[in-house]
Amino acid sequence: MALTDFDLVLFGGSGDLAMRKLLPAMYARDVAHDLPPGARIICVGRQDCGQDEFLRTVESNAKPHIKSSTLTEAAWAKFCQRIVYASLNATEAGSYAPLVAALRTDAALTRVYYLATPPHLFAQICDNLAANALVTPNSRVVLEKPLGRDLASAKQINAEVGQVFAESQIYRIDHYLGKETVQNLMALRFGNILFEPLWRREWISDVQITIAEKLGVGNRMGYYDTSGALRDMLQNHLLQLLCIVAMEPPTSISSDAVRDSKLQVLRSLKKFTPTTLAQNIVRGQYRAGHVDGKAVPSYRDEPDAPQHSRTETFVALKAEIDTWRWAGVPFYLRTGKRMADSLAEIVVRFKQIPHSIFAQPTSSFQPNCLVIRLQPDEGLRMNLMAKTPGDGMRLKPAELELDFRESFKTPRMDAYERLLLDVLRGQLTLFMRGDELEAAWEWVEPILDNWEQNDNAPIPYTAGTWGPAAASALIGRDGLQWREEA
Ligand code: BG6
């Protein structure tokens, strides 16, 4: 669907996300000829600088994040012509004149307000937009994470933003939903007859979802230390992946059908009690170690880290979904910083064959396993048992592999490119609905409360490993192993 003219307003327009992701994403779509001639990007910032000075900032901070193969002087100059800088104080309604002046008044024009700001500013920005009569029926608002830090704050954001924008105008970003393989998972599940009959407790033994990063916290300590891995990654990205693996077939790909199915999963997650919580959740914090052969400091020695910080940089847990389809199937979720490798993958393990007709015992058969790889490479791998060539009948594990890059030569889109296009087209399927956000927080909240009440410290793990040994023990108790440790 071709885009019609729009004004895209970036609050936090000179910030890190705008420079590293949003402007490069818009540039990529510009050189791909997706942007209509009248598309404009209005960057809002507090800094009192002129248009030329702002463009110099864009040149030094955003341009380095653009794929060099797409960069030409002419394309860059054309892109820069779309950018307008508006200096204002987002918290003061009286200072919005530069934005009012920059916006075009044509009522048919799509207006998108992208709030790449701390969440405590969301309500005020929405109010100030309304006070300046800037919210038209064609306006949309995009909310960047963190979308709250607990259920109450998420509800508050929903209520306050909801005073100004209708739910159908609100786009809550989870950039994992913009990743190609996540959408491919829906294609796999609902575009093939093969999987659906097997996609249930009778045939699946367990599911593992891992997002591991070699990176540490870097220069984000101010945010990260008040957040931690549970809020930063698990409540959103991992739970969204879990929803897509576990949801019932939606009636269509329409936004409400998909989001209804995801919501049902979130509401069916078994609630933790203090006992199950102690058994089924491991939190860790990295200590000094080596990543890729390079010495890296302990979390507590990172710049600006509080000396006695109890913030977790790793979390692993065992979740269960109380539905007919999934009762009794463990979903192991794991994420961490400064891990042995950077990868994001979903592993669906099927049950063991019931009986061996071969000379080998059943126990020598590796159960079938479907690995859905999101990062670093995108693909699918199915582990099967196959006969080793030659005489006799000896079976060994073999792999069927689908490498998306090899199979589809079409150029890739970064998650933000895809999601920005969807906002501009008015497609909500890949964005969280308000009730989904609240259901995710509702499930996570008892964990946060328990950690706060017990004030127990995370378990240390050495940087460059797969996290605390307790995480291996968590899955080991069920007679299983994390895939990388198998
Ligand atoms: C962000 C988190 O949402 O996702 C970061 O705040 C994390 O801490 C990042 O590094 C990971 O995203 P990706 O796309 O690099 O896997």
Side-chain angles (χ1 to χ4, degrees):
M1 191 168 96
L3 294 179
T4 54
D5 277 352
F6 60 81
D7 280 343
L8 167 63
V9 182
L10 303 182
F11 279 86
S14 49
D16 190 52
L17 187 76
M19 294 297 161
R20 271 190 316 110
K21 294 285 185 189
L22 304 179
L23 291 172
M26 291 307 286
Y27 175 84
R29 288 303 97 205
D30 198 8
V31 290
H33 307 293
D34 279 337
L35 305 192
R40 286 198 324 185
I41 304 165
I42 302 167
C43 294
V44 171
R46 280 183 73 126
Q47 207 194 340
D48 185 17
C49 70
Q51 173 79 3
D52 291 346
E53 194 181 336
F54 182 71
L55 286 179
R56 282 196 291 277
T57 310
V58 174
E59 172 107 23
S60 49
N61 295 354
K63 206 173 176 185
H65 298 285
I66 285 170
K67 255 195 225 130
S68 52
S69 59
T70 65
L71 208 50
T72 65
E73 273 199 25
W76 181 251
K78 177 175 160 239
F79 179 66
C80 286
Q81 276 172 9
R82 298 184 183 280
I83 300 177
V84 179
Y85 182 65
S87 160
L88 57 89
N89 180 350
T91 61
E92 278 174 25
S95 75
Y96 276 50
L99 178 59
V100 177
L103 284 167
R104 289 168 288 179
T105 48
D106 177 357
L109 205 81
T110 303
R111 261 186 205 176
V112 174
Y113 298 107
Y114 196 121
L115 310 193
T117 64
H120 67 268
L121 297 179
F122 290 170
Q124 218 165 2
I125 294 176
C126 291
D127 286 350
N128 292 344
L129 289 171
N132 282 282
L134 296 179
V135 181
T136 59
N138 275 335
S139 294
R140 295 163 200 159
V141 67
V142 184
L143 306 180
E144 249 306 328
K145 68 175 284 235
L147 294 171
R149 49 176 292 106
D150 52 21
L151 179 59
S153 52
K155 278 189 169 167
Q156 194 180 343
I157 291 174
N158 281 346
E160 289 172 345
V161 174
Q163 303 250 316
V164 176
F165 291 93
E167 182 62 36
S168 59
Q169 296 175 294
I170 305 175
Y171 292 71
R172 296 175 189 81
I173 286 245
D174 184 315
H175 79 279
Y176 262 73
L177 293 180
K179 291 190 191 269
E180 201 63 51
T181 323
V182 177
Q183 295 154 56
N184 233 318
L185 180 54
M186 287 202 256
L188 177 83
R189 284 196 60 197
F190 307 122
N192 296 286
I193 195 72
L194 204 58
F195 297 104
E196 177 54 19
L198 304 178
W199 211 255
R200 58 194 63 247
R201 64 191 299 278
E202 286 80 1
W203 308 108
I204 289 180
S205 92
D206 63 280
V207 177
Q208 297 181 15
I209 305 179
T210 298
I211 306 179
E213 295 177 281
K214 286 191 209 171
L215 283 176
V217 174
N219 55 8
R220 298 168 72 221
M221 189 56 80
Y223 152 73
Y224 195 88
D225 199 65
T226 60
S227 167
L230 188 73
R231 288 189 174 97
D232 185 49
M233 298 292 288
L234 196 134
Q235 181 275 340
N236 37 59
H237 307 324
L238 280 116
L239 283 188
Q240 286 296 318
L241 296 182
L242 175 138
C243 283
I244 297 194
V245 174
M247 69 184 179
E248 292 301 317
T251 49
S252 73
I253 196 74
S254 77
S255 54
D256 275 335
V258 171
R259 298 185 305 174
D260 284 347
S261 286
K262 282 162 58 197
L263 180 64
Q264 200 188 344
V265 175
L266 291 167
R267 292 202 170 140
S268 310
L269 282 167
K270 187 179 271 177
K271 304 271 180 292
F272 284 107
T273 63
T275 315
T276 58
L277 213 138
Q279 286 163 352
N280 293 331
I281 305 189
V282 174
R283 63 196 290 249
Q285 189 189 66
Y286 64 81
R287 293 287 180 266
H290 288 81
V291 175
D292 286 339
K294 265 181 54 191
V296 294
S298 173
Y299 176 78
R300 291 176 178 178
D301 293 330
E302 296 273 17
D304 303 325
Q307 273 245 304
H308 302 289
S309 170
R310 289 174 169 233
T311 299
E312 79 287 354
T313 59
F314 173 96
V315 63
L317 60 78
K318 173 178 164 181
E320 284 178 76
I321 303 171
D322 281 339
T323 60
W324 275 47
R325 185 187 285 269
W326 293 119
V329 178
F331 282 73
Y332 301 100
L333 311 186
R334 174 178 63 153
T335 184
K337 300 223 179 265
R338 288 284 189 232
M339 306 277 285
D341 205 354
S342 286
L343 61 88
E345 66 180 22
I346 300 166
V347 180
V348 180
R349 279 186 356 118
F350 292 86
K351 292 198 168 167
Q352 184 57 284
I353 54 161
H355 164 71
S356 169
I357 62 163
F358 306 99
Q360 298 165 241
T362 312
S363 58
S364 68
F365 284 70
Q366 205 180 71
N368 297 139
C369 184
L370 178 67
V371 181
I372 302 142
R373 193 85 188 236
L374 282 71
Q375 283 166 189
D377 44 334
E378 301 166 336
L380 280 181
R381 189 178 306 147
M382 184 84 214
N383 293 90
L384 303 168
M385 293 299 289
K387 178 187 169 300
T388 28
D391 194 17
M393 195 62 174
R394 183 94 205 137
L395 276 70
K396 275 183 72 175
E399 283 176 356
L400 267 183
E401 185 139 9
L402 171 61
D403 179 331
F404 292 137
R405 274 181 202 272
E406 279 298 309
S407 307
F408 302 96
K409 301 282 184 202
T410 35
R412 291 288 177 283
M413 270 196 218
D414 172 75
Y416 275 101
E417 290 176 46
R418 167 68 203 256
L419 294 174
L420 277 164
L421 283 186
D422 278 4
V423 176
L424 293 163
R425 287 188 192 116
Q427 286 177 358
L428 277 156
T429 305
L430 297 178
F431 298 84
M432 281 179 292
R433 209 168 50 195
D435 48 6
E436 258 186 275
L437 175 71
E438 291 180 17
W441 278 118
E442 203 170 328
W443 185 69
V444 157
E445 191 153 81
I447 311 174
L448 292 168
D449 288 349
N450 182 280
W451 288 351
E452 206 163 297
Q453 281 153 20
N454 294 329
D455 200 24
N456 51 352
I459 304 172
Y461 64 95
T462 307
T465 66
W466 285 106
S472 309
L474 164 79
I475 188 166
R477 274 201 304 275
D478 296 336
L480 300 168
Q481 283 175 305
W482 295 105
R483 200 174 81 87
E484 291 70 31
E485 296 174 341

